[in-house]
Amino acid sequence: MEAAMGFRRELLPALQKVIWDPRRAVLPWSRLHGGLLFHSGIWGSLKLPSKALKPPWGASIGLEKGPQRKAGRLPTMHSRGMFSGSPGRALDSLWGASHIFTRAALDCPHQGTFLSSPRRSFLEGFSRGLAKAAGTQSTRDLKEADSTAPIFQYVGRHAKRKDRVYVWGFCYSGALGIPSFVVPDAGWKKRRRIQPTPYRLDLEEKISSAACGYGFTLLSSRTTDVTKVWGMGLNKDSQIGFHQSRKDRAKGYEYILEPSPVPLPLDKPQQTRVLQASCGRAHSLVLTDKEGVFSMGNNSYGQCGRKVIDGEIYSESQLIYRLPEFESRVVQVACGQDHSLFRTERGEVYACGWGADGQTGLGHYDITSTPSKLGGDIAGVPIAKVTSCGDCCLAVSEDGDLFGWGNSEYLQLAAVTELTQVNVPRHLPFKVGRVKDAACGGTVCALVNEAGHVFVWGYGILGKGPKLMEAATPEMIPPTLFGLSDFCADIRVAQIRCGLSQFAAITNQGELFVWGKNVRGCLGIGRMEDQYFPWRVTVPGEVMDIACGVDHMVTLVKSFV
C-alpha cells in the first residue's frame, strides 16, 4: 500500500507536467506490453502491474492478452472514470512498433473528453499526431494562402435591413398570393384552406403599400419601373385588372393565385410613382404622385368615379379609369364597401359611390358617380386622414378632432345622434384627448390619442373581454395589454387598423397586436378562436404597416438585420 501511494505522489505530478507543458504536448510512448505501460521519458524502467494505475488515474487501463492477440485481433483499450464512455480500439500497427500519440489519441471516441480537449476519434488523434511541423514559407506561399483564405462578414450597425411582406388568413381565394396553397406543386403536399400564422411572400420588389379587399389584395411600389402594382385573389369584377388567360387570349382569369402585374395607363410610367392603393368590396383605387387617381372594378354605384352604365359587364374588363383632376392634388384614397373617399393636400374630402346609409356624406342617400366635396362639420377644417371599411366613415383633423358620418346601426355615431344613417359629417366630441389615428370597420371603430392609448366603440368584440360587446362612447383598452410596464414605460400604440370585425394595432416598437372576430384565421394567431383581448402576433421583423381584409391580412415588415 505504501509503495502504491508513493508511486501516486511521484507519477501524477510528472504526468500533469508532461500533459500540460506545451513543449511536451506530444507524449512518445515507447512500448505497450500486456497490461504494462512504459514511458522512456518519465517512468524509465519502472515496471508495475496495471492495477497500480487505478487510484491516481481514476481509471483502469489495460490491453487484452491471450488468444485475441495471437489471432491478430486489435487490442482493446478499456476506460472508465476520466476516460468515460465505451471502449475504444487501438490500431493493429501499435504492436511491435514505436508511435507518437497526441492527447487527442487518448480521447474516448464515443463521449466525454480527456482533460477538456475537444472530442475526437482515436484515428483522428493518431493521424494528427503524425503531422509534421510546417517549415518556413515563402512570401509567394503566404500571399497565395491569404488570397484563398475565407472571408467572414459580420452584421454591423450599418447593415441594410430588408423590406418583406407577410400574409395570413383564407387561402382559397388566392388573396395570399401563394399558389401552392391552392394548387399543390408537389405530390406530397395538400391544399391549404387557411394559413393561421404569418407566412412570408417572396417578392423581389420593395412594396410600399398594401390593401386588402373582399377576397383580393393589391400591392404597390414607389419604383420608377414600368410595373408598379401587383394584384392577387378574387377578380370576378376585374378589381385587380385584366389578366389574360394563357389558353385563350381573349379571356381573363377570375382568380389570380400569385402577385401579377397590373398595367396602369400612365403617360410617363418611368417618371410616375404609385403612392398608395385601396380596396373595397369589388373595386380598387390607385393613387399616383403625378398622374392622379386610377380606379378599376365594379362601378354599379359610381364608386369608381365614373358614370354608371346599365348592364355593364365587369368580368374580364380591361378598363382602368383615370379620374379627372380635383381642385388640388389628392394625397390619400380610401375605399369603403361600395363607396370611395379622396383627401386632398388642402385637407378637403371628396366622395362618390353608394350613399344609402349616408356614407358619401353629401347630405343625401343617393348614389353619386362624380367625386364631390363634403361639407357639414368638416367644411373649412383641414383633414389629416379619412378611413372607411364598411358603410361608416371617420375623419381626423389636423388639430386632432374626430368626425363621422354614414351607418350608425351599431352605435358608431350614437354619441351625437339617434339616427341610424347620418348623411353629413358630424363632429364627435369624445373626451379622449387629441386624436392621432382612427379606423372604422363594419360594426366597430377605434382611435389612438397622442398619448398612444387605444379607444374602441361600436358593436362586436371590442378588446376588453367577452362582457363588453357594445359601447356608444369610446372605451380605453388598458395600455398594459400592448406591453406597457415599469420595465417598458415608453411603449405606446402608433397606428390602428380595422377590418370588418377585427382590429390591428402597431406599437412604436414595431410590434403587432390583433383582436376581434377570427374569421377564417384572419388574426394570424395560430388558432381559430375569436380573440377578446389584444394578442401579439409573432412576426420576424419590425411591422411597418398592415392592411385588414374580411378574412385575411397583409403586413409590411422590415427585417431586424
Side-chain angles (χ1 to χ4, degrees), residues 12 81 165 178 240 283 288 306 353 373 381 397 408 413 476 561:
L12 188 57
V165 179
I178 313 294
I240 53 177
H283 76 290
T288 66
R306 60 184 177 88
K373 185 165 62 175
V381 178
S397 72
S408 185
L413 310 175
M476 188 179 78
V561 293

Side-chain angles (χ1 to χ4, degrees), residues 59 106 133 153 236 260 329 363 382 446 476 536:
L106 297 177
Q153 296 181 352
K236 291 190 174 183
S260 301
R329 186 171 64 91
M476 188 179 78
R536 189 173 70 87

